[in-house]
PDB file of all heavy atoms in Angstrom:
ATOM      1  N   LEU A   1      23.426 -12.076  18.607  1.00 60.00           N
ATOM      2  CA  LEU A   1      22.340 -11.156  18.933  1.00 60.00           C
ATOM      3  C   LEU A   1      21.025 -11.570  18.301  1.00 60.00           C
ATOM      4  O   LEU A   1      19.965 -11.371  18.859  1.00 60.00           O
ATOM      5  CB  LEU A   1      22.700  -9.730  18.475  1.00 60.00           C
ATOM      6  CG  LEU A   1      23.815  -9.020  19.251  1.00 60.00           C
ATOM      7  CD1 LEU A   1      24.079  -7.653  18.651  1.00 60.00           C
ATOM      8  CD2 LEU A   1      23.467  -8.891  20.723  1.00 60.00           C
ATOM      9  N   ASN A   2      21.092 -12.145  17.106  1.00 68.00           N
ATOM     10  CA  ASN A   2      19.877 -12.521  16.404  1.00 68.00           C
ATOM     11  C   ASN A   2      19.562 -14.006  16.533  1.00 68.00           C
ATOM     12  O   ASN A   2      18.837 -14.571  15.731  1.00 68.00           O
ATOM     13  CB  ASN A   2      19.992 -12.143  14.922  1.00 68.00           C
ATOM     14  CG  ASN A   2      20.006 -10.642  14.740  1.00 68.00           C
ATOM     15  OD1 ASN A   2      19.243  -9.935  15.387  1.00 68.00           O
ATOM     16  ND2 ASN A   2      20.869 -10.155  13.887  1.00 68.00           N
ATOM     17  N   SER A   3      20.135 -14.636  17.538  1.00 73.00           N
ATOM     18  CA  SER A   3      19.859 -16.049  17.771  1.00 73.00           C
ATOM     19  C   SER A   3      18.446 -16.248  18.303  1.00 73.00           C
ATOM     20  O   SER A   3      17.792 -15.307  18.762  1.00 73.00           O
ATOM     21  CB  SER A   3      20.861 -16.613  18.788  1.00 73.00           C
ATOM     22  OG  SER A   3      20.698 -15.957  20.031  1.00 73.00           O
ATOM     23  N   GLN A   4      17.969 -17.483  18.242  1.00 75.00           N
ATOM     24  CA  GLN A   4      16.662 -17.801  18.788  1.00 75.00           C
ATOM     25  C   GLN A   4      16.728 -17.783  20.311  1.00 75.00           C
ATOM     26  O   GLN A   4      17.794 -17.801  20.904  1.00 75.00           O
ATOM     27  CB  GLN A   4      16.209 -19.169  18.295  1.00 75.00           C
ATOM     28  CG  GLN A   4      15.966 -19.231  16.795  1.00 75.00           C
ATOM     29  CD  GLN A   4      15.469 -20.591  16.359  1.00 75.00           C
ATOM     30  OE1 GLN A   4      15.478 -21.553  17.132  1.00 75.00           O
ATOM     31  NE2 GLN A   4      15.041 -20.696  15.118  1.00 75.00           N
ATOM     32  N   GLU A   5      15.544 -17.766  20.929  1.00 76.00           N
ATOM     33  CA  GLU A   5      15.496 -17.789  22.391  1.00 76.00           C
ATOM     34  C   GLU A   5      16.045 -19.103  22.937  1.00 76.00           C
ATOM     35  O   GLU A   5      15.878 -20.162  22.334  1.00 76.00           O
ATOM     36  CB  GLU A   5      14.053 -17.614  22.871  1.00 76.00           C
ATOM     37  CG  GLU A   5      13.537 -16.200  22.765  1.00 76.00           C
ATOM     38  CD  GLU A   5      12.241 -16.008  23.538  1.00 76.00           C
ATOM     39  OE1 GLU A   5      11.493 -16.985  23.677  1.00 76.00           O
ATOM     40  OE2 GLU A   5      12.010 -14.902  23.990  1.00 76.00           O
ATOM     41  N   PHE A   9      19.048 -17.134  27.345  1.00 80.00           N
ATOM     42  CA  PHE A   9      18.693 -15.800  26.840  1.00 80.00           C
ATOM     43  C   PHE A   9      17.228 -15.802  26.425  1.00 80.00           C
ATOM     44  O   PHE A   9      16.876 -16.199  25.324  1.00 80.00           O
ATOM     45  CB  PHE A   9      19.585 -15.442  25.656  1.00 80.00           C
ATOM     46  CG  PHE A   9      19.363 -14.064  25.097  1.00 80.00           C
ATOM     47  CD1 PHE A   9      18.844 -13.034  25.870  1.00 80.00           C
ATOM     48  CD2 PHE A   9      19.703 -13.776  23.776  1.00 80.00           C
ATOM     49  CE1 PHE A   9      18.643 -11.759  25.352  1.00 80.00           C
ATOM     50  CE2 PHE A   9      19.515 -12.509  23.245  1.00 80.00           C
ATOM     51  CZ  PHE A   9      18.983 -11.504  24.042  1.00 80.00           C
ATOM     52  N   LYS A  11      14.440 -13.731  25.332  1.00 83.00           N
ATOM     53  CA  LYS A  11      14.194 -12.398  24.774  1.00 83.00           C
ATOM     54  C   LYS A  11      12.859 -11.806  25.227  1.00 83.00           C
ATOM     55  O   LYS A  11      12.735 -10.586  25.367  1.00 83.00           O
ATOM     56  CB  LYS A  11      14.224 -12.457  23.241  1.00 83.00           C
ATOM     57  CG  LYS A  11      15.588 -12.795  22.658  1.00 83.00           C
ATOM     58  CD  LYS A  11      15.544 -12.761  21.132  1.00 83.00           C
ATOM     59  CE  LYS A  11      16.911 -13.058  20.532  1.00 83.00           C
ATOM     60  NZ  LYS A  11      16.894 -12.959  19.050  1.00 83.00           N
ATOM     61  N   GLU A  35      12.168  -1.569  17.381  1.00 93.00           N
ATOM     62  CA  GLU A  35      12.234  -3.012  17.147  1.00 93.00           C
ATOM     63  C   GLU A  35      13.599  -3.625  17.439  1.00 93.00           C
ATOM     64  O   GLU A  35      13.696  -4.683  18.053  1.00 93.00           O
ATOM     65  CB  GLU A  35      11.837  -3.322  15.702  1.00 93.00           C
ATOM     66  CG  GLU A  35      10.349  -3.233  15.441  1.00 93.00           C
ATOM     67  CD  GLU A  35       9.984  -3.780  14.083  1.00 93.00           C
ATOM     68  OE1 GLU A  35       9.883  -5.017  13.954  1.00 93.00           O
ATOM     69  OE2 GLU A  35       9.794  -2.982  13.148  1.00 93.00           O
ATOM     70  N   GLY A  36      14.661  -2.989  16.940  1.00 88.00           N
ATOM     71  CA  GLY A  36      15.955  -3.655  16.970  1.00 88.00           C
ATOM     72  C   GLY A  36      17.053  -2.908  17.700  1.00 88.00           C
ATOM     73  O   GLY A  36      16.908  -1.757  18.105  1.00 88.00           O
ATOM     74  N   TYR A  37      18.182  -3.596  17.838  1.00 91.00           N
ATOM     75  CA  TYR A  37      19.336  -3.066  18.558  1.00 91.00           C
ATOM     76  C   TYR A  37      19.853  -1.766  17.939  1.00 91.00           C
ATOM     77  O   TYR A  37      20.098  -0.779  18.630  1.00 91.00           O
ATOM     78  CB  TYR A  37      20.470  -4.098  18.554  1.00 91.00           C
ATOM     79  CG  TYR A  37      20.083  -5.469  19.003  1.00 91.00           C
ATOM     80  CD1 TYR A  37      19.723  -6.463  18.096  1.00 91.00           C
ATOM     81  CD2 TYR A  37      20.103  -5.797  20.363  1.00 91.00           C
ATOM     82  CE1 TYR A  37      19.381  -7.734  18.511  1.00 91.00           C
ATOM     83  CE2 TYR A  37      19.770  -7.066  20.785  1.00 91.00           C
ATOM     84  CZ  TYR A  37      19.401  -8.038  19.859  1.00 91.00           C
ATOM     85  OH  TYR A  37      19.065  -9.295  20.280  1.00 91.00           O
ATOM     86  N   MET A  38      20.065  -1.782  16.622  1.00 93.00           N
ATOM     87  CA  MET A  38      20.671  -0.633  15.965  1.00 93.00           C
ATOM     88  C   MET A  38      19.801   0.612  16.040  1.00 93.00           C
ATOM     89  O   MET A  38      20.309   1.730  16.175  1.00 93.00           O
ATOM     90  CB  MET A  38      20.995  -0.964  14.496  1.00 93.00           C
ATOM     91  CG  MET A  38      22.021  -2.080  14.325  1.00 93.00           C
ATOM     92  SD  MET A  38      23.510  -1.858  15.350  1.00 93.00           S
ATOM     93  CE  MET A  38      24.130  -0.295  14.711  1.00 93.00           C
ATOM     94  N   LEU A  55      14.079  -6.298  21.006  1.00 83.00           N
ATOM     95  CA  LEU A  55      15.015  -7.339  20.582  1.00 83.00           C
ATOM     96  C   LEU A  55      14.614  -8.046  19.291  1.00 83.00           C
ATOM     97  O   LEU A  55      14.944  -9.204  19.069  1.00 83.00           O
ATOM     98  CB  LEU A  55      15.173  -8.382  21.704  1.00 83.00           C
ATOM     99  CG  LEU A  55      15.759  -7.813  23.002  1.00 83.00           C
ATOM    100  CD1 LEU A  55      15.337  -8.638  24.197  1.00 83.00           C
ATOM    101  CD2 LEU A  55      17.270  -7.788  22.920  1.00 83.00           C
ATOM    102  N   GLY A  56      13.870  -7.353  18.446  1.00 69.00           N
ATOM    103  CA  GLY A  56      13.501  -7.927  17.167  1.00 69.00           C
ATOM    104  C   GLY A  56      12.423  -8.989  17.233  1.00 69.00           C
ATOM    105  O   GLY A  56      12.098  -9.616  16.228  1.00 69.00           O
ATOM    106  N   THR A  57      11.839  -9.191  18.401  1.00 75.00           N
ATOM    107  CA  THR A  57      10.754 -10.168  18.558  1.00 75.00           C
ATOM    108  C   THR A  57       9.440  -9.427  18.757  1.00 75.00           C
ATOM    109  O   THR A  57       9.414  -8.212  18.952  1.00 75.00           O
ATOM    110  CB  THR A  57      11.007 -11.062  19.784  1.00 75.00           C
ATOM    111  OG1 THR A  57      10.989 -10.248  20.970  1.00 75.00           O
ATOM    112  CG2 THR A  57      12.333 -11.769  19.678  1.00 75.00           C
TER     113      THR A  57
END
Side-chain angles (χ1 to χ4, degrees):
L1 290 178
N2 292 318
S3 63
Q4 295 182 350
E5 284 193 331
F9 183 25
K11 294 183 178 183
E35 284 190 80
Y37 309 95
M38 297 311 299
L55 298 155
T57 64

